[in-house]
């Protein structure tokens, strides 16, 4: 048996610059609403009350089973296609995480071959097993169905936060990640498959193979292989954490590009509005929540898989991306604080101008009151009482305005400090 698992991320085309930012904040802070929208589109969420991995050679190697047994990983799931012929059986599923990142996962099981090693080698040419196996038409049908579901979900989420809905969804072939699992040992050197992207040291056999000399296990930059391992538990684990890493890789890429672009904007800006400052702060909180989820999953792995997970992190540059984002935070916080301080000072200048104008009006008002009082001294006392009452009311209003503006200034200074 040779089984291909191809993981294909869906990229959303947005109408408006702030749509994705708002959706990131929305998805991280409205868990119940997101779940209602996603499940309303037909996806289900694996229960947290599931059994976890145990040694069982009879486990079926499929994505649904891998996800159901995983610890700290409960994405939404929908099977959108299932068919089989005499030599090839296919299943396609849509997987969505809490961050509204979408993957279409293809499962292709093949039996009609004579040499497993040669068959795998030829199928992975150009990292295009779907095309090489003659399944392009089926793939197009699956992707069309997936796009319909995804755009429905994203449209509902966009409506919930009052922004323009996304324009469309797309796939990039170069982002597809194939994982190949075979219960037969490879007869040719599969490490050559990684020679165009990894050094010889990076192509080393994974420790997940244990003492099995016939096995070749390698999770690489562009594809993964588990050949002759004969350990269903390990293979299910590889499937589940590659699905997890694929989703988080593209979420991390969004944050990296967003904060780098934001830094470029802050360089040329002369001030920052309260709304911009709050949006930026909420996105930073969303990022920290995202990294906590990442670490929660990672630290739930036992030492053997934790070690393998870290190797993939290093190979995919995820740790470098986190360092870039953290450094961008430091620079942006300093710049944003200065811009907000400039904005507050500008507001204070406006308030000071208003206070000066009020002072001038006060002088004229007081002079007018006394002048009118002199003119009314010859009039009946009731007129004088009316003028006095008017002066008292005006004074109270002026004092109230001064108090309000003063309170705002003090609050702004405290916030800036």
């Amino acid at each position: 048996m040779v089984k291909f698992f191809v993981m294909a991320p869906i990229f959303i085309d947005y109408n408006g610059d702030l749509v994705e930012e708002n959706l990131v904040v929305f998805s991280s802070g409205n868990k119940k609403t997101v779940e209602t929208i996603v499940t309303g589109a037909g996806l289900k969420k694996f229960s947290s009350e599931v059994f976890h991995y145990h040694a069982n050679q009879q486990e079926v190697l499929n994505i649904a089973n891998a996800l159901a047994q995983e610890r700290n990983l409960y994405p939404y799931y929908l099977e959108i296609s299932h068919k089989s012929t005499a030599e090839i059986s296919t299943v396609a599923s849509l997987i969505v995480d809490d961050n509204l990142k979408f993957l279409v996962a293809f499962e292709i099981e093949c039996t009609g071959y004579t040499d497993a090693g040669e068959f795998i080698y030829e199928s992975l040419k150009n990292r295009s097993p779907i095309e090489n196996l003659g399944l392009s038409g089926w793939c197009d049908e699956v992707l069309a169905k997936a796009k319909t579901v995804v755009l429905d979900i994203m449209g509902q989420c966009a409506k919930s936060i009052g922004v323009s809905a996304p324009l469309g969804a797309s796939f990039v072939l170069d982002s597809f990640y194939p994982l190949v699992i075979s219960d037969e040992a490879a007869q040719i050197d599969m490490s050559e498959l990684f020679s165009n992207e990894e050094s010889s040291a990076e192509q080393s056999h994974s420790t997940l193979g244990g003492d099995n000399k016939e096995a070749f296990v390698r999770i690489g930059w562009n594809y993964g292989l588990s050949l002759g391992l004969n350990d269903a538990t390990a293979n299910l684990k590889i499937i589940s954490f590659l699905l997890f890493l694929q989703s988080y890789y593209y979420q991390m890429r969004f944050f990296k590009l967003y904060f780098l672009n934001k830094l470029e904007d802050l360089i040329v800006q002369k001030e920052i509005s309260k709304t911009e400052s709050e949006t930026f702060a909420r996105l930073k909180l969303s990022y920290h929540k995202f990294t906590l989820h990442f670490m929660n999953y990672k630290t739930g792995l036992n030492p053997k898989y934790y070690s393998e997970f870290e190797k993939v992190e290093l190979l995919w540059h995820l740790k470098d991306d986190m360092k870039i984002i953290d450094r961008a935070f430091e620079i942006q916080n300093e710049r944003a604080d200065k811009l907000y301080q400039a904005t507050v000072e500008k507001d204070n200048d406006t308030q000071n101008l208003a206070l000066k104008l009020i002072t001038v009006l006060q002088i004229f008002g007081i002079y007018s009151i006394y002048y009118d009082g002199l003119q009314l001294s010859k009039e009946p006392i009731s007129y004088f009482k009316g003028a006095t009452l008017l002066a008292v009311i005006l004074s109270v209003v002026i004092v109230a305005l001064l108090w309000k503006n003063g309170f705002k200034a003090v609050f702004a200074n405290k916030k800036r400090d």
Side-chain angles (χ1 to χ4, degrees), residues 3-8 44 46 53 59-70 73 75-79 91-96 103-109 177 179 181 235-244:
K3 194 158 188 178
F4 296 82
F5 296 88
V6 182
M7 304 158 199
K44 65 178 181 179
F46 289 104
Y53 288 108
E59 291 292 352
V60 177
L61 287 183
N62 60 46
I63 286 171
N65 198 30
L67 292 174
Q69 293 193 52
E70 187 55 279
L73 180 60
Y76 305 93
Y77 172 88
L78 175 66
E79 185 178 300
V91 179
S93 306
L94 177 64
I95 300 169
V96 186
L103 284 177
V104 174
F106 301 91
E107 302 174 45
I108 307 166
E109 185 173 340
Y177 187 96
L179 165 67
I181 296 177
N235 282 326
L236 286 170
K237 199 71 177 183
I238 292 170
I239 294 168
S240 63
F241 79 53
L242 274 173
L243 288 167
F244 174 86

Side-chain angles (χ1 to χ4, degrees), residues 2-10 61-64 67 77-78 80-81 88-95 102-110 119-120 123-136 138-140 142-143 146 171-181 222-225 238-240 242-244 246-247 250 316:
V2 175
K3 194 158 188 178
F4 296 82
F5 296 88
V6 182
M7 304 158 199
I10 300 178
L61 287 183
N62 60 46
I63 286 171
L67 292 174
Y77 172 88
L78 175 66
I80 53 180
S81 178
I88 296 180
S89 177
T90 61
V91 179
S93 306
L94 177 64
I95 300 169
F102 302 88
L103 284 177
V104 174
F106 301 91
E107 302 174 45
I108 307 166
E109 185 173 340
C110 303
F119 176 73
I120 294 169
S123 299
L124 283 178
K125 280 185 177 179
N126 301 318
R127 204 158 54 90
S128 303
I130 291 176
E131 181 178 342
N132 295 335
L133 293 170
L135 296 171
S136 297
W138 170 72
C139 177
D140 291 341
V142 169
L143 296 183
F171 295 83
V172 180
L173 182 61
D174 190 53
S175 65
F176 286 23
Y177 187 96
L179 165 67
V180 184
I181 296 177
N222 274 338
Y223 34 73
L225 298 169
I238 292 170
I239 294 168
S240 63
L242 274 173
L243 288 167
F244 174 86
Q246 271 289 96
S247 176
Y250 288 101
W316 291 15

Side-chain angles (χ1 to χ4, degrees), residues 12-289:
I12 308 297
D13 301 319
Y14 293 98
N15 180 17
D17 294 335
L18 295 177
V19 175
E20 189 167 9
E21 290 92 322
N22 288 341
L23 283 169
V24 168
V25 174
F26 171 74
S27 63
S28 65
N30 298 270
K31 188 174 181 179
K32 290 184 178 179
T33 305
V34 169
E35 184 167 357
T36 299
I37 293 172
V38 174
T39 55
L43 284 87
K44 65 178 181 179
K45 195 162 191 176
F46 289 104
S47 170
S48 59
E49 299 177 359
V50 296
F51 61 96
H52 297 301
Y53 288 108
H54 52 84
N56 186 342
Q57 297 295 325
Q58 303 304 315
E59 291 292 352
V60 177
L61 287 183
N62 60 46
I63 286 171
N65 198 30
L67 292 174
Q69 293 193 52
E70 187 55 279
R71 189 185 306 276
N72 297 332
L73 180 60
Y74 313 110
Y76 305 93
Y77 172 88
L78 175 66
E79 185 178 300
I80 53 180
S81 178
H82 186 188
K83 69 175 186 177
S84 62
T85 64
E87 296 183 344
I88 296 180
S89 177
T90 61
V91 179
S93 306
L94 177 64
I95 300 169
V96 186
D97 67 10
D98 286 328
N99 298 300
L100 291 176
K101 289 300 176 185
F102 302 88
L103 284 177
V104 174
F106 301 91
E107 302 174 45
I108 307 166
E109 185 173 340
C110 303
T111 56
Y113 58 87
T114 55
D115 185 316
E118 188 66 29
F119 176 73
I120 294 169
Y121 195 88
E122 291 298 318
S123 299
L124 283 178
K125 280 185 177 179
N126 301 318
R127 204 158 54 90
S128 303
I130 291 176
E131 181 178 342
N132 295 335
L133 293 170
L135 296 171
S136 297
W138 170 72
C139 177
D140 291 341
E141 293 176 8
V142 169
L143 296 183
K145 291 179 182 178
K147 288 178 183 180
T148 300
V149 178
V150 169
L151 291 177
D152 176 51
I153 292 172
M154 299 305 283
Q156 292 297 318
C157 290
K159 290 177 183 177
S160 298
I161 57 176
V163 299
S164 301
L167 293 175
S170 60
F171 295 83
V172 180
L173 182 61
D174 190 53
S175 65
F176 286 23
Y177 187 96
L179 165 67
V180 184
I181 296 177
S182 174
D183 53 8
E184 300 178 46
Q187 300 300 316
I188 58 177
D189 185 7
M190 287 293 171
S191 64
E192 294 180 13
L193 288 167
F194 303 99
S195 61
N196 67 330
E197 59 196 24
E198 301 172 8
S199 66
S200 57
E202 290 171 330
Q203 297 171 32
S204 61
H205 176 55
S206 168
T207 56
L208 293 180
D211 296 329
N212 186 347
K213 295 182 180 180
E214 292 187 348
F216 179 82
V217 182
R218 174 65 188 155
I219 301 173
W221 170 249
N222 274 338
Y223 34 73
L225 298 169
S226 175
L227 310 177
L229 184 58
N230 293 324
D231 183 349
T233 301
N235 282 326
L236 286 170
K237 199 71 177 183
I238 292 170
I239 294 168
S240 63
F241 79 53
L242 274 173
L243 288 167
F244 174 86
L245 279 166
Q246 271 289 96
S247 176
Y248 270 67
Y249 176 86
Y250 288 101
Q251 182 75 349
M252 182 69 72
R253 189 179 72 166
F254 158 73
F255 279 116
K256 180 178 66 173
L257 294 177
Y258 171 79
F259 287 116
L260 287 175
N261 291 335
K262 189 64 178 178
L263 184 59
E264 292 180 358
D265 293 339
L266 289 172
I267 290 173
V268 298
Q269 282 184 253
K270 295 183 179 179
E271 59 183 59
I272 186 171
S273 68
K274 183 179 179 180
T275 301
E276 287 179 299
S277 179
E278 290 177 348
T279 299
F280 184 45
R282 286 196 297 269
L283 273 164
K284 287 193 292 184
L285 288 174
S286 297
Y287 168 73
H288 289 304
K289 181 180 177 182

Side-chain angles (χ1 to χ4, degrees), residues 290-330:
F290 157 79
T291 55
L292 286 173
H293 277 264
F294 184 90
M295 294 306 298
N296 184 49
Y297 173 77
K298 178 180 174 181
T299 54
L301 301 171
N302 66 36
K304 179 170 68 173
Y305 298 117
Y306 184 96
S307 176
E308 189 67 26
F309 189 94
E310 285 214 309
K311 292 177 184 177
V312 181
E313 273 189 285
L314 183 63
L315 190 65
W316 291 15
H317 312 307
L318 289 174
K319 289 187 176 182
D320 289 336
D321 285 345
M322 287 183 180
K323 290 179 182 178
I324 290 171
I325 295 173
D326 289 339
R327 180 54 182 155
F329 278 162
E330 295 177 13

